Amino acid sequence: MTQLPESTDRKMGLVIDLDTCVGCHACVISCKGWNTENYGAPLSDQDAYGGNPSGTFLNRVHSYEVQPEQGHAQLVHFPKSCLHCEDAPCVTVCPTGASYKRVEDGIVLVNESDCIGCGLCAWSCPYGARELDVTEGVMKKCTLCVDRIYNENLPEEDRVPSCVRTCPAGARHFGDLGDPNSDVSQLVAERGGMDLMPEQGTKPVNKYLPPRPKDTIESEIDILAPLLAPVAENPGGFMGWLDKALDKLPGGDA
Amino acid sequence: MHPAPSVIVFTTLSGLGFGLLMFLGLGLPAVTGWVAFVFFLIAYVLAVGGLLASTFHLGRPERAWKAFTQWKTSWLSREGWCAVVALLVLAPYAAGLVFWDQSFALLGFIGALFSLLTVFTTSMIYTQLKTIPRWNMKLTPVMFLSFSIAGGALLAGQIDAAIALLAIAALVQLAYWKLGDQAFANSGTNMGTATGLGSRGAVRAFEPPHTGTNYLLREFVHVVGRKHAAKLRVISFTLAFVLPILLMWFSPHHFAAVIAVLSHMAGIATSRWLFFAQAEHVVGLYYGKR
Ligand code: SF4
Ligand code: SF4
């Protein structure tokens, strides 16, 4: 049913650390690897080795440059997948009941055998978290690896979403964001975790940890400055002669 | 948004078809026999043809019937119900007029009501989307309804009503363009809120997540053709409203009426194309685009 549950027993989700993410895209690949051969239809590619490749992914990593008023620009790598919103617009717009939010853990899923591929849920998601698979004609999205996290056939350390398990930097955390004492909730509280596009009213469960402020190493650089001073501002000897000779050539000081 | 031909054809044709059905349901014009047959045929072909076209953009059209299940929450589902009810209720009403010279006025009234509701529910599919500020306006359903009613009057040959209703629709169109052009900026969503990094400085997309294109860019970030928007607005406005009003005013004859209807349809289709092509989805912000 595409009515949203009043509340969910738990709010399972991800906490993504924008300070730690190095933008290696390992989570993108591991997500595609796991999900193309497990829950639901495979994640197809079109023209994968040709001139115009495209394909279905459930997780993608953007990179942004932030230029503060003062100081240097900062590069932020930004992984994005379904945020398993509490007020998920993608669920209520679905005409078939294929999209639903689970009461037990808050995971938003698509029942692919009911999906008619109308695309309306993707239209309603502000985050671009849903992609219609061209080959299958059904909607694909992050399942929070629902087929891993409760899977008793896997060793315990593997019972987390594939992206979390793979991230070499430890930038992705998984847990119950509905429990204020959980590790993830404490991390969010400590680091000022934030919502994406809060004005859209989706109440995302996934949280993003902002990059930590840069330390101000500029004021201390003087200590090493003498050692780093340029060796020759006005070179003499052979280099000096060469410098002047080159300057004299036409177009030399262009 | 990608202006998919199937959706443009659907909203244009079925909007007109249900507009005509609404007038016929109210007994305007009060026709019977063969004339009624032709009127209802045109209305059903437009309405049903439009609905069929809309299934072409589905990934799995064979399961389309499942879309009737979620009327409690989904406008798309409600639209399906209203359309089916309107078409079913008006069938015996039409048969009464065509074959028995009988008007089952109550059926006609219910059919007219559901025809109107169909157009309203269609418009709500777009209006409800907060992700597309240009659509997420109270004026969107007003626009769909005013176009459909004006077009219906034109097709139903209600000359005086058509002139007045086309003039109203034209004003709504102008207001929609005016407000729509400010909607994205007024929505409060920008790259800063999208990334949560806005308070730290100016955010710029540095590198996209993939070198090629993807579903999101194909579906939501349609920039080709927007540059002609201003010209297309003039063309659309002239064809949809100005020309039909002038034709109806100066020579309300059969031939002129046909030209007026065709001109109106072409104009509305162009307006619909703009409705999609100019609609910017907030997801474009993640790609540094609109
Ligand atoms: S991120 Fe998008 S797909 Fe996921 S629950 Fe929210 S609205 Fe739905
Ligand atoms: S694409 Fe599928 S899941 Fe999404 S709204 Fe349509 S039927 Fe529902």
Side-chain angles (χ1 to χ4, degrees):
Chain A
M1 256 314 213
T2 54
Q3 271 158 302
L4 285 166
E6 290 274 314
S7 66
T8 56
D9 300 342
R10 287 174 304 149
K11 295 179 190 169
M12 303 310 286
L14 300 176
V15 173
I16 293 171
D17 191 342
L18 298 179
D19 193 66
T20 314
C21 175
V22 294
C24 69
H25 293 239
C27 55
V28 177
I29 302 307
S30 92
C31 166
K32 178 122 176 174
W34 175 266
N35 285 294
T36 200
E37 55 190 31
N38 288 285
Y39 184 99
L43 303 169
S44 72
D45 290 316
Q46 283 71 42
D47 197 19
Y49 303 101
N52 189 19
S54 85
T56 310
F57 285 79
L58 310 183
N59 176 35
R60 298 188 184 257
V61 180
H62 296 250
S63 296
Y64 298 102
E65 180 198 76
V66 186
Q67 176 65 61
E69 297 246 325
Q70 307 260 304
H72 301 301
Q74 194 176 359
L75 198 60
V76 179
H77 300 293
F78 194 95
K80 186 162 57 60
S81 51
C82 172
L83 290 87
H84 297 278
C85 306
E86 280 182 60
D87 272 342
C90 56
V91 170
T92 48
V93 298
C94 176
T96 63
S99 278
Y100 62 106
K101 185 168 176 73
R102 308 205 323 172
V103 179
E104 60 270 41
D105 50 19
I107 298 179
V108 175
L109 286 178
V110 175
N111 175 353
E112 292 174 10
S113 58
D114 277 351
C115 173
I116 57 173
C118 67
L120 196 53
C121 54
W123 291 21
S124 76
C125 170
Y127 311 107
R130 290 174 167 244
E131 300 188 13
L132 190 76
D133 188 85
V134 174
T135 304
E136 289 291 328
V138 295
M139 197 51 77
K140 301 293 298 182
K141 69 177 292 300
C142 160
T143 66
L144 215 56
C145 285
V146 69
D147 46 5
R148 288 175 68 98
I149 57 179
Y150 305 115
N151 191 336
E152 308 215 325
N153 296 319
L154 295 177
E156 203 170 338
E157 65 270 26
D158 284 339
R159 289 181 214 157
V160 291
S162 184
C163 55
V164 175
R165 184 76 178 102
T166 301
C167 179
R172 308 180 68 106
H173 307 269
F174 167 69
D176 181 3
L177 287 142
D179 169 6
N181 297 317
S182 68
D183 288 350
V184 279
S185 294
Q186 285 181 350
L187 197 55
V188 169
E190 222 169 86
R191 295 272 308 280
M194 57 192 184
D195 287 352
L196 304 185
M197 292 187 188
E199 71 284 355
Q200 286 274 333
T202 53
K203 293 208 236 141
V205 168
N206 285 11
K207 299 283 183 256
Y208 282 77
L209 305 180
R212 293 184 174 90
K214 291 263 189 201
D215 47 14
T216 47
I217 200 148
E218 275 107 305
S219 56
E220 290 157 33
I221 204 158
D222 280 347
I223 305 170
L224 292 177
L227 302 175
L228 295 173
V231 180
E233 295 273 14
N234 296 308
F238 174 70
M239 291 305 283
W241 171 81
L242 186 63
D243 189 36
K244 278 181 208 134
L246 286 173
D247 273 351
K248 278 190 195 128
L249 287 177
D253 45 24
Chain B
M1 298 294 291
H2 169 63
S6 60
V7 184
I8 293 170
V9 169
F10 153 59
T11 56
T12 306
L13 295 189
S14 72
L16 275 174
F18 283 106
L20 177 56
L21 281 176
M22 193 194 65
F23 278 93
L24 294 176
L26 296 177
L28 297 166
V31 283
T32 55
W34 273 108
V35 183
F37 180 78
V38 172
F39 267 113
F40 277 101
L41 186 70
I42 293 173
Y44 269 83
V45 165
L46 289 174
V48 176
L51 289 177
L52 284 181
S54 74
T55 62
F56 292 156
H57 87 285
L58 299 182
R60 291 285 186 155
E62 74 278 10
R63 299 179 189 147
W65 62 270
K66 294 197 185 205
F68 288 103
T69 58
Q70 304 302 315
W71 52 272
K72 278 193 193 160
T73 55
S74 166
W75 284 106
L76 183 50
S77 190
R78 289 172 194 159
E79 178 203 41
W81 274 109
C82 290
V84 167
V85 170
L87 294 175
L88 288 183
V89 168
L90 284 172
Y93 171 75
L97 289 173
V98 173
F99 300 114
W100 304 297
D101 216 347
Q102 272 288 340
S103 171
F104 306 122
L106 183 63
L107 281 185
F109 180 77
I110 297 173
L113 182 70
F114 274 89
S115 299
L116 205 61
L117 281 176
T118 306
V119 177
F120 175 69
T121 47
T122 304
S123 72
M124 284 309 291
I125 296 173
Y126 304 109
T127 309
Q128 69 179 331
L129 298 169
K130 275 192 94 169
T131 48
I132 303 164
R134 195 186 281 274
W135 293 353
N136 189 227
M137 301 195 297
K138 290 204 180 74
L139 212 50
T140 306
V142 178
M143 180 175 74
F144 272 72
L145 286 168
S146 66
F147 284 17
S148 170
I149 296 173
L154 189 62
L155 281 173
Q158 306 296 304
I159 310 276
D160 293 341
I163 291 174
L165 290 166
L166 282 170
I168 294 174
L171 291 179
V172 173
Q173 173 71 91
L174 291 179
Y176 180 82
W177 283 332
K178 176 111 185 48
L179 290 180
D181 288 346
Q182 304 151 8
F184 202 101
N186 290 343
S187 73
T189 298
N190 52 43
M191 281 189 77
T193 67
T195 56
L197 301 169
S199 57
R200 315 167 75 86
V203 183
R204 187 172 76 90
F206 184 78
E207 199 178 25
H210 37 88
T211 49
T213 185
N214 70 350
Y215 168 75
L216 301 171
L217 290 173
R218 284 189 301 263
E219 186 81 355
F220 301 121
V221 190
H222 178 89
V223 282
V224 201
R226 272 192 203 153
K227 60 174 189 284
H228 299 304
K231 275 183 225 153
L232 285 171
R233 281 184 177 180
V234 175
I235 294 175
S236 146
F237 194 78
T238 312
L239 290 178
F241 309 112
V242 180
L243 198 58
I245 290 178
L246 290 178
L247 283 169
M248 291 289 95
W249 191 279
F250 291 111
S251 67
H253 301 299
H254 274 315
F255 182 66
V258 172
I259 304 282
V261 166
L262 292 179
S263 163
H264 177 73
M265 281 171 91
I268 296 294
T270 312
S271 162
R272 273 304 129 74
W273 188 88
L274 286 166
F275 178 75
F276 286 94
Q278 288 203 294
E280 302 124 320
H281 193 291
V282 294
V283 78
L285 294 169
Y286 286 108
Y287 289 87
K289 300 187 175 156
R290 288 261 306 255

